[in-house]
Amino acid sequence: MFKFLKGVVAGSGTGVKDLPYNIGEPYSSAWGSWTHSHGTSKDDGSPVSIFSLSGNVQDGHIAAGRNGVKRLRTVRHPNILSFLHSTEVETHDGSTTKVTIYIVTEPVMPLSEKIKELGLDGKQRDEYYAWGLHQIAKAVSFLNNDCKLIHANVCLASVVVTQTLDWKLHAFDVLSEFDGNKEGSAGSMLQYAWLVGTQYKPMELAKSDWVAIRNSTPWAIDSWGIGCLIYEIFSGMRLTKTEELRNIASIPKSLLPDYQRLLSSMPSKRLNTSKLIENSEYFQNKLVDTIHFMEVLSLKDSVEKDTFFRKLPTLSDQLPRQIVLKKILPLLASALEFGSAGAPALTALMKMGSWLPPEEFNFKVLPTIVKLFTSNDRGTRVALLQHIDQYGPSLSAQTVDEQVYPQIATGFNDTSAFLRELTLKSILVLAPKLSQRTMSGSLLKYLSKLQVDEEPAIRTNTTILLGNMANYLNEGTRKRVLINAFTVRALRDTFPPARGAGIMALCATSSYYDVTEIATRILPNVVVLTIDPDSDVRSKSFQAVDQFLQIVKQYNEKGDTGDASMTDLGAPGNSSLLGWAMSNLSLKGKASEQVPVAVGGSSAPLATTSSDTSSVVDAVATTAMLTPLRTSSSMDLVDQPVPASPTSTDGWGELENGLDDHDSDKDGWDDIEPLEEPKPSPALANIQVAQKRPVAQPKPALSQPKSAASSSQPKSTVRKAKDDDDELWGSIAAPPPKTTSKAMSLGAPKTVDDDLWGAIAAPPPMTKAKPLSAGRGRGAKPAAPKLGAQRINRTSSGM
């Protein structure tokens, strides 16, 4: 029998060298003769607690210790210390054999030391003690009522605290079955009761009145022990003699009636711990109710859950901070991860997580957030995107690129405009962590579609996002995306804030354009907006014209001094000047009724847009500072033909990002057609026509003979320049309009012989005069008009 019991206690080890745990420093206190030490696993370094007991083979403490190991292995309950491993070691010293028992459990700390460490007081202390006593009472009730076992030594020393601040019962050396049927025999009941201190023994146990013990209830002895525990934790002192239990000055008034019933001198009248849990007023507080609700969360209906989690962020401020972080936060994270909690719980999770140090936040909260991105619940996705500025910077680049972005990208195609906008804004936080392949091969395709979205707020914010993330794009991608996105798309938008955002995005990214692009592609498109019907757009366009003209002037001055280097000109792309121009979308309003509110930062609160379509965003920033630009030539632009711009590929073009030459790796700008947009005002339509005017190549010097000019430039030069300009944004152009009143038609430019500026010229005179022929001086001579018509023609020709 002894060999069998020894084998049960010893487990799989045969000595300390075989114990798969490292023994660390001991705590200053432990129950009985046991030593409680820190420990770690040799496999993964995870923390554990190691209890050890040494003595001679014949020592009664060793026999009791073996009883405690056997009981701890077999009794399982959430509020009883969790057993992991045990072993027994024999050492010989001459004729004496010494035995040491080791028990390995989950990592815990003695309750007395944890109370000092927490340093709680007042209401928060009472709430935490109530939760701890509630847990110990449940463990004792389980032993007494369900298992018919008697612990016999419930006190401060027999309680330990886990890393999540849960109280757990241990010290099972005296644990025995309650056998009330064998009245005439002492049997093995409480055979190790001599280990219990006299101050903790009720009267019947102190007198060894086994008949009275058997005739009493199974919970009589342990109810007395609960009373001793209550006295010790509230008084802050160890119980030294039974008479001290009469001192009730430190006992809370709401707990006092139950305390007195637990310590009744008559065993049969002592309060059952199960009744203590159910009926005591002391256990009815916010902390106990909150933790209990979360532990049975799966049993609650959706309405109860929603109400609870909406109150939890406010409630968490009123609870002990350490309890919230170590107990409630893990419960909340687990509930979210396994689907027991809905989207409202994420707000509480983020608030509690903000109280953690960065390293703990990354360990305890981030894994749960990453897993939540796989959820198909729209409410959860919205909550994740709304709080992305809180956890986004903590995500690693690999996690963002491989796990988070693929899930977020599905929101770009969502049917909800609100979710599309939130997805768009979240990219500003994630862009620094995305790879070039992801940005060029996937992200820009989505942004290309969003720039022609049916919601004007989304179109506006897409332009702002591009301006803000320009510095994260590689040089080749910037050359093929920025100008075309800002001029071909943004400056021609019928929504005034979208045009204003395009102007400011050009200013904020001015350092990425060379002087040729500024002179031939940017200024012509910006200048025409100086007569925009919207005053805010006009104001921004004048600022932009001044900024870009200053860059060109500085380049010219450098050229005059013989130094055409652009290293000291321009301004770095200051994307920080761009904040979100648009507020949140109004889901009930129509697209044409969406207008912006004042420009704010990227973290500005979201609001519903107004229905006044004539209002625009406030100025996003003042004129950007000038920064260096570079060019490789010092030749005078006036004397040389304009070289082909490196960015004059179509629209957003095919991005040079080092990707394989697959169709899927091309930028999405070249295969997206703008959506139908509302008919623009006549003034805006005139501006759009002017913007489509091709930039002509410089003419030969006047001093050059005509024959020389014709010989130096082939006849096809002008035509080729025109064709190249036709392809500037042809692939992203909208299809030809069905009617001439189509607002945003980007059709091919007129022929060379057409009056390119006729659309914005002064209205014709009221008299019906035959217009001048496109080829002046050629063809048949027209009939002589009347004098009035001749004056009109002379005036027209002089214009």
Side-chain angles (χ1 to χ4, degrees):
M1 179 66 182
F2 175 75
K3 290 184 178 179
F4 170 76
L5 180 59
K6 181 178 179 181
V8 171
V9 173
S12 59
T14 59
V16 176
K17 66 178 185 300
D18 298 321
L19 188 69
Y21 300 93
N22 298 312
I23 303 176
E25 293 295 323
Y27 289 99
S28 60
S29 62
W31 181 86
S33 300
W34 288 89
T35 300
H36 181 187
S37 305
H38 295 274
T40 56
S41 172
K42 292 180 180 179
D43 294 334
D44 55 8
S46 58
V48 296
S49 281
I50 300 177
F51 296 84
S52 59
L53 176 66
S54 298
N56 297 327
V57 176
Q58 296 81 15
D59 192 345
H61 290 82
I62 296 298
R66 288 171 177 159
N67 177 64
V69 173
K70 182 184 71 172
R71 298 295 187 176
L72 194 61
R73 289 171 63 100
T74 55
V75 178
R76 299 284 179 169
H77 187 269
N79 303 120
I80 291 177
L81 185 62
S82 298
F83 174 89
L84 298 179
H85 185 82
S86 68
T87 190
E88 190 173 312
V89 179
E90 291 184 359
T91 57
H92 301 277
D93 183 12
S95 60
T96 305
T97 301
K98 185 178 181 181
V99 177
T100 303
I101 301 174
Y102 294 96
I103 305 176
V104 182
T105 69
E106 61 181 312
V108 290
M109 175 183 280
L111 175 60
S112 58
E113 297 189 25
K114 178 57 72 173
I115 288 176
K116 294 178 181 177
E117 181 184 288
L118 292 175
L120 299 175
D121 57 11
K123 182 179 180 181
Q124 291 192 346
R125 186 202 69 164
D126 290 344
E127 287 185 341
Y128 180 57
Y129 285 177
W131 170 243
L133 287 172
H134 186 272
Q135 292 180 301
I136 297 301
K138 286 170 65 177
V140 172
S141 176
F142 170 73
L143 293 175
N144 298 159
N145 298 298
D146 299 334
C147 303
K148 296 297 186 289
L149 296 172
I150 302 175
H151 185 278
N153 195 22
V154 179
C155 61
L156 185 67
S158 63
V159 179
V160 289
V161 183
T162 66
Q163 293 179 326
T164 57
L165 301 183
D166 291 309
W167 291 17
K168 294 202 173 186
L169 186 65
H170 79 123
F172 285 178
D173 294 20
V174 192
L175 190 72
S176 61
E177 288 85 1
F178 176 80
D179 190 356
N181 297 324
K182 299 180 181 179
E183 297 182 3
S185 166
S188 60
M189 182 178 178
L190 297 175
Q191 59 178 325
Y192 302 112
W194 54 270
L195 287 172
V196 181
T198 305
Q199 69 272 27
Y200 296 115
K201 290 182 179 180
M203 186 63 67
E204 67 273 15
L205 184 59
K207 294 180 178 180
S208 298
D209 188 353
W210 301 111
V211 175
I213 293 173
R214 286 191 171 90
N215 290 335
S216 64
T217 58
W219 58 81
I221 294 178
D222 288 338
S223 292
W224 180 278
I226 290 289
C228 296
L229 174 62
I230 291 174
Y231 173 82
E232 289 186 313
I233 63 172
F234 283 105
S235 67
M237 300 182 294
R238 292 292 182 96
L239 184 66
T240 58
K241 54 185 178 180
T242 306
E243 288 74 14
E244 293 176 352
L245 295 173
R246 299 180 182 274
N247 185 0
I248 60 174
S250 60
I251 308 299
K253 292 183 179 180
S254 59
L255 186 59
L256 185 57
D258 298 312
Y259 172 76
Q260 292 173 333
R261 291 183 62 189
L262 289 169
L263 297 173
S264 174
S265 58
M266 299 180 64
S268 59
K269 293 186 177 181
R270 288 178 192 152
L271 181 64
N272 189 343
T273 49
S274 64
K275 300 297 182 181
L276 174 69
I277 298 171
E278 295 173 1
N279 303 326
S280 178
E281 179 185 347
Y282 180 71
F283 296 116
Q284 299 174 7
N285 60 57
K286 293 179 180 179
L287 180 62
V288 175
D289 293 342
T290 299
I291 297 177
H292 179 68
F293 187 96
M294 297 193 67
E295 288 183 335
V296 295
L297 193 61
S298 59
L299 304 179
K300 303 295 182 179
D301 59 41
S302 58
V303 176
E304 290 177 303
K305 291 179 183 179
D306 187 70
T307 303
F308 172 78
F309 287 121
R310 292 188 186 280
K311 294 180 179 179
L312 187 57
T314 303
L315 182 62
S316 62
D317 288 327
Q318 306 170 15
L319 301 177
R321 180 63 55 87
Q322 297 185 55
I323 315 301
V324 169
L325 296 180
K326 294 186 177 181
K327 178 62 179 180
I328 298 179
L329 179 60
L331 288 174
L332 183 59
S334 177
L336 278 166
E337 185 173 342
F338 294 103
S340 300
L346 192 60
T347 302
L349 180 74
M350 296 309 305
K351 181 174 183 177
M352 297 176 189
S354 65
W355 298 336
L356 291 171
E359 59 277 4
E360 288 190 40
F361 179 85
N362 295 343
F363 176 73
K364 295 181 178 180
V365 179
L366 271 187
T368 299
I369 292 176
V370 173
K371 290 179 181 178
L372 287 178
F373 274 104
T374 60
S375 172
N376 293 325
D377 180 61
R378 269 186 175 174
T380 300
R381 175 63 58 86
V382 167
L384 286 170
L385 295 178
Q386 287 176 332
H387 295 93
I388 198 167
D389 58 325
Q390 299 179 37
Y391 62 83
S394 301
L395 295 169
S396 66
Q398 182 178 4
T399 300
V400 171
D401 206 51
E402 297 178 1
Q403 300 181 54
V404 176
Y405 173 77
Q407 300 297 332
I408 284 183
T410 60
F412 287 122
N413 295 324
D414 199 277
T415 55
S416 169
F418 179 67
L419 191 53
R420 292 200 305 275
E421 186 188 32
L422 284 179
T423 304
L424 176 70
K425 290 186 175 184
S426 70
I427 296 301
L428 186 59
V429 178
L430 302 181
K433 301 178 184 295
L434 293 175
S435 65
Q436 288 298 319
R437 182 181 185 89
T438 299
M439 284 196 289
S440 300
S442 174
L443 177 59
L444 291 180
K445 292 182 182 291
Y446 289 119
L447 298 184
S448 173
K449 294 179 181 179
L450 291 181
Q451 217 182 7
V452 291
D453 194 90
E454 61 184 1
E455 293 290 344
I458 292 179
R459 299 199 302 269
T460 303
N461 283 333
T462 302
T463 300
I464 293 172
L465 173 63
L466 280 169
N468 277 314
M469 61 176 285
N471 58 316
Y472 304 124
L473 302 173
N474 60 36
E475 184 178 359
T477 303
R478 286 197 296 260
K479 285 185 174 295
R480 284 159 178 78
V481 168
L482 296 184
I483 293 183
N484 294 312
F486 298 150
T487 60
V488 179
R489 289 275 178 86
L491 298 189
R492 300 184 182 186
D493 201 294
T494 56
F495 193 48
R499 299 196 297 277
I503 295 172
M504 298 310 296
L506 285 169
C507 294
T509 57
S510 61
S511 67
Y512 302 128
Y513 315 126
D514 59 40
V515 71
T516 303
E517 293 171 321
I518 292 174
T520 61
R521 304 186 62 199
I522 296 177
L523 281 172
N525 285 284
V526 174
V527 166
V528 294
L529 293 180
T530 57
I531 58 171
D532 192 272
D534 186 87
S535 61
D536 189 59
V537 175
R538 293 196 301 271
S539 175
K540 286 182 172 65
S541 62
F542 277 114
Q543 295 175 15
V545 169
D546 292 341
Q547 177 178 337
F548 286 113
L549 281 179
Q550 184 65 26
I551 295 175
V552 176
K553 288 178 182 178
Q554 291 185 35
Y555 173 81
N556 181 58
E557 293 172 359
K558 290 288 183 178
D560 291 341
T561 60
D563 180 13
S565 173
M566 296 294 288
T567 56
D568 298 328
L569 302 179
N574 189 4
S575 60
S576 63
L577 294 175
L578 291 171
W580 295 121
M582 300 300 300
S583 68
N584 254 356
L585 296 169
S586 173
L587 299 181
K588 297 181 179 180
K590 297 180 181 179
S592 60
E593 297 173 349
Q594 305 286 344
V595 297
V597 294
V599 175
S602 60
S603 60
L606 305 176
T608 305
T609 55
S610 171
S611 61
D612 183 6
T613 56
S614 63
S615 65
V616 295
V617 294
D618 293 341
V620 180
T622 56
T623 306
M625 297 175 60
L626 301 179
T627 73
L629 296 174
R630 292 190 180 91
T631 184
S632 58
S633 172
S634 62
M635 294 184 294
D636 190 353
L637 292 176
V638 178
D639 298 331
Q640 298 294 333
V642 177
S645 172
T647 63
S648 60
T649 56
D650 169 74
W652 287 54
E654 297 181 1
L655 307 179
E656 292 181 357
N657 55 358
L659 303 178
D660 297 335
D661 193 12
H662 292 76
D663 292 340
S664 61
D665 290 336
K666 294 182 179 181
D667 179 62
W669 258 198
D670 55 1
D671 56 2
I672 306 301
E673 293 184 354
L675 300 178
E676 297 289 337
E677 296 191 10
K679 180 179 179 181
S681 62
L684 179 59
N686 293 340
I687 292 173
Q688 292 172 345
V689 171
Q691 286 177 318
K692 291 180 283 186
R693 178 176 180 265
V695 179
Q697 296 287 352
K699 297 182 179 181
L702 295 177
S703 59
Q704 187 177 9
K706 181 177 181 180
S707 59
S710 60
S711 61
S712 62
Q713 293 186 355
K715 294 182 179 179
S716 61
T717 301
V718 176
R719 182 60 183 173
K720 178 170 178 52
K722 174 181 177 298
D723 294 340
D724 289 343
D725 197 64
D726 286 345
E727 296 177 358
L728 181 59
W729 43 67
S731 61
I732 63 168
K738 296 180 180 180
T739 64
T740 57
S741 61
K742 174 86 176 187
M744 293 298 292
S745 174
L746 305 179
K750 299 179 181 179
T751 61
V752 177
D753 293 335
D754 289 338
D755 184 1
L756 297 175
W757 295 95
I760 62 173
M766 298 304 295
T767 55
K768 296 182 179 180
K770 185 172 182 180
L772 293 176
S773 174
R776 185 183 297 273
R778 298 181 183 178
K781 183 177 181 180
K786 296 181 180 181
L787 183 58
Q790 289 177 343
R791 289 175 181 172
I792 291 174
N793 285 335
R794 283 197 299 271
T795 302
S796 299
S797 62
M799 286 179 61

